[in-house]
């Protein structure tokens, strides 16, 4: 892979900070620009994140003194001086859509963590180990935007990463119903135990918009490209409940599913162990060596023990067993700010670079 100059929009936020940490020693992506809102613009990065750098490590030296740019006002300068940007902002959906497309129209590819474009029909929403072929829709998107290089590509919501990777290898068995309950870490809300004291000794049974995302986004990931758009799959049917729990990092999912063609437990375990990961041979720098890890122990996976597996990029599974109402049930786990946010976006960018879209 060549070397690329990278900008981060929303660099001062929780996901932006994670991008900085993950890209610190990246072999091919060099951070050359940081941008955020006008509130942070003009400050050094160290000043802008003073008292709110939430990653459990020091701010990398090379970004401390970088001047934070204004993602709006400095757009043209940013677009001209990078090969692509990562974007993770707290703007409204409409504002995010406009911001991301305006970068794309300035011929600057955008790899986004935001949800605004997840259902734009010619914007690929990619989990690289599952649907890398959706990148082909970028050709149609460029036609619509009138660009040669610019486009927007997105990653899916963090909650999905704990169960969609386990369902993907089973799709040809006719998975028809999936019920999932997610137990989501507080970093998913941009919080720590200091900034969310109400979560201690508690669970909060509501995360705004999360259940809709958990049920709808998998269908786009399992969809097919047809007539210049990605047509979502009409199966399986997903239903979900999403709950905030007192865990710092790592989303857990309790999953129940039914199959049209029922197979043995061993067959499901074999499919997980032998899943033909379509990007395995690309050897992308952030890809886990093994995508799915199954744990035999009854008390695994646990956020505290497995979230950092393969640099927080692997998916941990366990407790697969028959169910009395559905066919099977299992537990899934993934790191929400690594695999589920910045790490997933870095892996997606690596794929898009390797395939020549960036
Ligand atoms: P956050 O901590 O609130 O950070 C928001 C970032 O957006 C800050 O850098 C902020 O800059 C910037 N921003 C605000 N207004 C802006 C503007 N007008 N122009 C440019 N930048 C602006 O949020 P977060 O948790 O990092 O989440 C960012 C995005 O990632 C959201 O869409 C979220 O849904 C998504 N996401 C988060 C997670 C997670 O685990 N946290 C997982 C998946 C996806 P200032 O500091 O200057 O205000």
């Amino acid at each position: 892979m060549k070397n690329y100059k990278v900008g981060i929009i929303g660099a001062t936020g929780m996901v932006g900070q994670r991008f900085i940490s993950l890209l610190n020693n990246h072999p091919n992506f060099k951070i050359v620009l940081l941008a955020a809102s006008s509130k942070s613009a003009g400050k050094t990065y160290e000043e802008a994140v003073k008292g709110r750098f939430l990653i459990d490590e020091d701010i990398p030296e090379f970004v401390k003194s970088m001047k934070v740019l204004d993602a709006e006002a400095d757009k043209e300068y940013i677009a001209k001086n990078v090969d692509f940007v990562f974007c993770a902002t707290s703007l409204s959906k409409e504002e995010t859509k406009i911001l991301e497309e305006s970068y794309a129209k300035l011929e600057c590819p955008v790899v986004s963590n935001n949800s605004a474009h997840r259902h734009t029909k010619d914007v690929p929403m990619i989990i690289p180990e599952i649907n890398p072929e959706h990148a082909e829709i970028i050709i149609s998107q460029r036609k619509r935007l009138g660009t040669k290089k610019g486009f927007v590509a997105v990653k899916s919501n963090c909650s999905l990463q704990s169960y969609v990777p386990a369902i993907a290898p089973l799709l040809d068995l006719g998975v028809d119903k999936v019920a999932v309950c997610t137990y989501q870490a507080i970093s998913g809300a941009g919080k720590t135990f200091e900034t969310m004291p109400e979560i201690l000794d508690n669970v909060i049974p509501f995360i705004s918009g999360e259940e809709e995302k958990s049920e709808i986004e998998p269908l786009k990931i399992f969809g097919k490209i047809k007539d210049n758009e990605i047509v979502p799959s009409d199966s399986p049917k997903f239903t979900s409940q999403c709950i905030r729990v007192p865990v710092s990092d790592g989303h857990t999912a309790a999953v129940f599913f039914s199959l049209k063609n029922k197979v043995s437990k061993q067959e499901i375990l074999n499919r997980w162990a032998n899943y033909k990961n379509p990007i395995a041979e690309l050897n992308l720098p952030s890809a886990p060596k093994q995508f799915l890890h199954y744990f035999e122990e009854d008390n695994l996976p646990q956020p505290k023990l497995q979230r950092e597996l393969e640099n927080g990029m692997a998916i941990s599974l366990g407790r697969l067993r028959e169910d009395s109402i559905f066919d099977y049930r299992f537990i899934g786990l993934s790191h929400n700010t690594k695999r589920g946010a910045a790490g997933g976006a870095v892996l997606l960018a690596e794929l898009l670079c390797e395939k020549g879209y960036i």
Side-chain angles (χ1 to χ4, degrees):
M1 197 188 298
K2 291 191 321 199
N3 291 330
Y4 294 84
K5 289 183 286 179
V6 177
I8 301 174
I9 312 291
T12 50
M14 187 159 220
V15 177
Q17 293 173 19
R18 182 64 73 188
F19 274 124
I20 288 173
S21 149
L22 289 176
L23 295 179
N24 188 12
N25 291 309
H26 194 280
N28 308 97
F29 295 165
K30 181 169 189 290
I31 300 174
V32 295
L33 286 174
L34 303 174
S37 77
S38 54
K39 273 191 311 193
S40 304
K43 297 180 184 167
T44 63
Y45 187 71
E46 190 175 24
E47 285 162 1
V49 295
K50 195 162 183 200
R52 57 175 178 141
F53 193 75
L54 302 171
I55 308 280
D56 199 13
E57 52 195 65
D58 292 336
I59 305 174
E61 278 306 319
F62 79 102
V63 293
K64 273 188 181 169
S65 57
M66 280 173 88
K67 270 257 157 68
V68 179
L69 300 174
D70 184 327
E72 274 294 342
D74 299 321
K75 210 182 294 177
E76 295 194 355
Y77 176 83
I78 296 169
K80 221 176 258 165
N81 286 284
V82 296
D83 293 311
F84 71 96
V85 291
F86 289 109
C87 190
T89 56
S90 52
L91 293 166
S92 71
K93 272 198 181 155
E94 263 329 294
E95 290 168 322
T96 304
K97 274 190 174 176
I98 293 168
L99 183 80
E100 292 183 343
E101 278 202 3
S102 65
Y103 273 92
K105 285 183 179 160
L106 288 167
E107 299 294 4
C108 176
V110 178
V111 179
S112 177
N113 252 287
N114 301 313
S115 60
H117 272 299
R118 287 187 193 150
H119 297 294
T120 306
K121 291 182 188 311
D122 58 11
V123 169
M125 174 162 63
I126 295 178
I127 297 178
E129 289 91 341
I130 298 178
N131 61 332
E133 74 285 0
H134 283 191
E136 290 164 25
I137 200 70
I138 288 170
I139 296 164
S140 306
Q141 191 195 139
R142 282 179 174 149
K143 278 191 198 139
R144 173 176 64 85
L145 296 174
T147 58
K148 286 202 173 69
K149 292 196 301 179
F151 65 86
V152 179
V154 300
K155 53 161 288 302
S156 59
N157 194 47
C158 48
S159 62
L160 270 66
Q161 322 279 337
S162 303
Y163 57 94
V164 166
I167 297 295
L170 312 178
L171 284 180
D172 66 314
L173 298 172
V175 183
D176 65 347
K177 286 186 208 140
V178 181
V180 55
C181 187
T182 61
Y183 301 88
Q184 301 195 193
I186 58 175
S187 57
K191 302 284 187 186
T192 62
F193 290 118
E194 286 73 41
T195 58
M196 199 180 192
E198 67 275 23
I199 198 71
L200 294 171
D201 190 26
N202 205 6
V203 300
I204 297 176
F206 175 67
I207 306 175
S208 180
E210 205 74 354
E211 287 159 3
E212 195 186 14
K213 291 175 191 167
S214 301
E215 293 168 11
I216 295 175
E217 290 185 15
L219 299 175
K220 181 167 179 182
I221 288 168
F222 296 151
K224 295 260 176 294
I225 295 182
K226 203 176 159 214
D227 299 334
N228 300 319
E229 57 184 59
I230 297 168
V231 180
S233 173
D234 53 11
S235 66
K237 296 276 176 260
F238 285 87
T239 182
S240 70
Q241 297 209 67
C242 298
I243 295 172
R244 189 75 69 196
V245 295
V247 167
S248 58
D249 289 310
H251 289 351
T252 302
V255 188
F256 302 76
F257 65 94
S258 295
L259 298 168
K260 284 193 184 127
N261 305 312
K262 195 170 169 188
V263 292
S264 67
K265 174 181 168 182
Q266 192 54 49
E267 168 69 15
I268 294 172
L269 292 175
N270 291 346
R271 280 168 175 253
W272 285 348
N274 302 319
Y275 177 56
K276 272 208 169 35
N277 162 8
I279 62 160
E281 278 162 23
L282 298 178
N283 289 319
L284 299 174
S286 303
K289 288 202 169 48
Q290 192 181 326
F291 183 41
L292 306 174
H293 292 245
Y294 186 79
F295 292 85
E296 296 287 349
E297 297 86 338
D298 277 342
N299 62 350
L300 298 181
Q302 295 178 21
K304 230 175 166 169
L305 300 181
Q306 272 78 43
R307 62 189 165 208
E308 298 296 343
L309 192 65
E310 299 221 38
N311 297 321
M313 292 297 286
I315 311 300
S316 299
L317 305 172
R319 302 204 67 214
L320 177 68
R321 61 222 191 273
E322 293 210 16
D323 183 66
S324 56
I325 295 177
F326 292 78
D327 287 327
Y328 286 101
R329 53 193 150 156
F330 67 93
I331 302 290
L333 171 81
S334 66
H335 196 303
N336 56 298
T337 63
K338 293 187 179 174
R339 166 57 75 169
V346 172
L347 182 59
L348 170 55
E350 291 168 358
L351 172 73
L352 296 170
C353 289
E354 189 64 35
K355 292 283 179 189
Y357 292 101
I358 297 180

